[in-house]
Amino acid sequence: MDAFDALKRFFKAGTDVTIALPSDPFIVLDRDRAAVKLKIAERAQANGVANFPPADSENLDDVETEIVAEIGEHSARAQIDAAAMHRVYGQRLSELALLRELSTITGAGEQALGDFRATIINRQGRLGLAKDAIRESYNELAHFKREHGLDRPAHRSMNKLYAWSIVGISWIIESAGNTAFLMVNDDYGLLGGFVTAVVVAAINIILSALVGQYWWPYLFYRKPAQRLLAASGSILWFLAVIVWNLLVGHFRDAKILGLANPEQAALGLFLNRPFQLDSIYSYGLLVLGIVFAVLAATAAFRKDDPYPGYGAIYRRHEDRCDEYADQIEEALDELRGTRDDAIETANAIRSELGAQFRERGQIISSRDTHRNRYREHQDYLETIGNALLGQYRAANVRSRTDKLSPSHFNKPWVLKRTDLPLDTAEPSIDNEVLRAQEVLEHSIKTISQAYQEAIESFEHLEKIKGSLTNG
C-alpha cells in the first residue's frame, strides 16, 4: 500500500493533499495543502464580503459542502482500505487449516488410540496361541524326560553338515585308497579298480553310517531289552565289517594270483584261510576298511543326542521357544513402531496446532488494532474537517460587513462513521482448541501406558516355565 501511495503522490504532486506515513495504515491529510487546494482563504473572504451565507442560514454553504465532500472522499477511501485489510485478516485466519479441523483432530486422536489398542489385542491373541503351544511343548518334554529317566538337557550334537561331510570324505578317501590296491591285474586298469573300490567303500561306509545313526543310540536306551538288542546288533555289525573287509583283502590276493573269476576265488580263500592274507597291501585294505567304517558310524552317531528321540524332541522344543521369543520381539517391535509413529504425529499436530493458535491470536490482535485505528482515523478525519471548516468560518466572519455569524457556524460537523464487522463465532474456538490439545495429550499418555501394559502382559518363556512348575 505504501508503495502505491508513493506513486500516487508522484503523479499527483500538484493536487494531492495526503501524506502516507510508514507507521500508519491510513493516509493522513496535510491541512495546509488542503486549505490551499480548496482556496479556503480566498473564497471565505469573497463570501464574507458578500455577507454569505446569510446570518440565519442553517445549512452548509458551497465551500463548507466542498470541504465536507473532500473529507468524505478520504473517509470512503479509508473505509475501502480498512475493509480490504479486514478481509485479508479473515483470509489469513481461514488459512490456518488445523483450526478448521478441530473436531477431526479430536476424532483422529481417539481413533489412533483405538487402533493401537486393537493392534495390542490382535497381538495378544496371536501370542496366546503360541503360548499354549509352548506350554504343551514344555509338558511334552517333561513327560519324555520322566518316562525315560532323563535329568539333563540334550547334548549338542555335531552339525549334520559336518557329520555327513565326514561320512562322505571317508567314502572318498577309502575309495581312493582301495583304488590303488584293487587296480592290479584288472582288465580295465585304473578305471576298473576305481569302480570296484567305490562299490566296496560304499557298502562299507553306508552300512556303518546307518548302524551309527539308528542302532548305536539304543545302546543308551532305558529298557534293557533294547540295549541288549543294540549291543548284539553292533557286535554283528563289527563282525560283518571284519568279514567284508577280509573278503576284500582275499579279493585282491585272488587278483594278484591271476585266478579266474576272482570274486568266487576270494570266497574260497576266505573259507579255507579266513585270517591269512598273502600281501601286506591286502592287510592294508582290511585295516583301511575297518577304520573308515568305525569313523563313518561314529560321525553318524554324533549328529544327534545319544539317547534315541531325545535330540529330536529337544530341538522341536527349542525351535518353538525360539519362534515364541521371535514373535514377542516382533510384536514389541510392531507396537513400539506404532507407538512412536502415533506419538510423533500427535506431538507434531499438537505443536502445529499451538503455533497456529498463537498465530491466530496475533492475527486477531492485529485486526483489533487495525479496527481501533480505523475508528481513530475517522475521529481524525472529523477533526481535520472541523479544522478546515473552522478556518473557513473564521475568515468568513472577519470579512463580513454585517459582522454577523451564521447560526450553523457554531455547530461542529459530525462525520458519518462506519464500523468493521465482528466475528462472534471466534471466541468459541478457544475451547475447541483446548479440547483438541487435551485429546492429543491424553492420546500420547494413554498410548504410552498401553504399550507398557502390553509389554507386561506378554509372558516370556521364564514366566511360562515358572507357571508350569508352580502348577
Side-chain angles (χ1 to χ4, degrees), residues 168-236:
I169 292 173
S170 298
W171 181 21
I172 293 172
I173 295 176
E174 184 180 353
S175 298
N178 290 349
T179 299
F181 294 134
L182 297 176
M183 62 181 291
V184 294
N185 289 339
D186 195 282
D187 295 338
Y188 295 99
L190 177 62
L191 178 60
F194 174 74
V195 172
T196 303
V198 167
V199 174
V200 168
I203 294 174
N204 190 50
I205 295 296
I206 292 174
L207 175 63
S208 300
L210 292 175
V211 169
Q213 179 174 359
Y214 297 108
W215 210 295
W216 282 13
Y218 282 92
L219 293 172
F220 305 91
Y221 201 67
R222 182 183 183 186
K223 297 180 179 180
Q226 280 86 346
R227 290 202 304 270
L228 179 60
L229 183 61
S232 302
S234 298
I235 293 172
L236 291 175

Side-chain angles (χ1 to χ4, degrees), residues 180-408:
F181 294 134
L182 297 176
M183 62 181 291
V184 294
N185 289 339
D186 195 282
D187 295 338
Y188 295 99
L190 177 62
L191 178 60
F194 174 74
V195 172
T196 303
V198 167
V199 174
V200 168
I203 294 174
N204 190 50
I205 295 296
I206 292 174
L207 175 63
S208 300
L210 292 175
V211 169
Q213 179 174 359
Y214 297 108
W215 210 295
W216 282 13
Y218 282 92
L219 293 172
F220 305 91
Y221 201 67
R222 182 183 183 186
K223 297 180 179 180
Q226 280 86 346
R227 290 202 304 270
L228 179 60
L229 183 61
S232 302
S234 298
I235 293 172
L236 291 175
W237 160 77
F238 190 70
L239 293 175
V241 169
I242 294 174
V243 170
W244 174 253
N245 285 282
L246 283 172
L247 284 171
V248 174
H250 286 297
F251 176 70
R252 182 182 183 279
D253 289 344
K255 292 183 70 176
I256 290 292
L257 295 174
L259 300 177
N261 197 353
E263 292 84 0
Q264 293 183 1
L267 181 59
L269 291 174
F270 174 75
L271 294 175
N272 292 328
R273 44 173 186 168
F275 300 104
Q276 183 181 351
L277 301 173
D278 293 338
S279 171
I280 190 173
Y281 296 111
S282 299
Y283 283 109
L285 278 172
L286 171 63
V287 173
L288 192 66
I290 293 174
V291 169
F292 282 109
V294 173
L295 182 62
T298 303
F301 171 72
R302 290 289 304 278
K303 76 181 187 66
D304 206 344
D305 186 272
Y307 196 88
Y310 190 34
I313 194 172
Y314 203 90
R315 282 194 302 275
R316 286 198 302 271
H317 175 69
E318 286 185 329
D319 291 341
R320 289 167 182 161
C321 291
D322 291 340
E323 182 180 355
Y324 180 73
D326 291 341
Q327 288 186 20
I328 286 184
E329 187 63 28
E330 181 183 347
L332 292 178
D333 288 342
E334 180 184 4
L335 294 178
R336 189 182 302 113
T338 305
R339 178 203 63 180
D340 293 344
D341 290 343
I343 291 178
E344 181 181 359
T345 302
N347 279 326
I349 293 175
R350 187 175 61 172
S351 177
E352 180 61 24
L353 181 62
Q356 291 193 12
F357 187 63
R358 288 190 297 274
E359 183 178 357
R360 171 183 175 271
Q362 294 171 356
I363 293 173
I364 292 176
S365 177
S366 298
R367 187 180 62 183
D368 290 342
T369 300
H370 180 264
R371 182 183 289 113
N372 292 332
R373 183 65 192 90
Y374 175 61
R375 296 193 190 100
E376 294 171 355
H377 184 69
Q378 292 183 104
D379 294 339
Y380 162 77
L381 290 177
E382 185 180 78
T383 301
I384 290 293
N386 281 311
L388 292 175
L389 288 173
Q391 183 179 349
Y392 166 74
R393 290 169 178 173
N396 181 279
V397 170
R398 286 196 301 271
S399 301
R400 297 175 73 94
T401 57
D402 57 8
K403 303 301 180 180
L404 299 176
S405 175
S407 58
H408 73 272

Side-chain angles (χ1 to χ4, degrees), residues 30 230 261 274 287 367 387 424 428 448 460:
D30 187 331
N261 197 353
V287 173
R367 187 180 62 183
T424 57
S428 63
S448 299
H460 293 269

Side-chain angles (χ1 to χ4, degrees), residues 446-460:
T446 307
I447 287 175
S448 299
Q449 182 180 357
Y451 173 76
Q452 190 62 36
E453 292 174 353
I455 293 177
E456 296 173 357
S457 69
F458 294 160
E459 293 189 36
H460 293 269

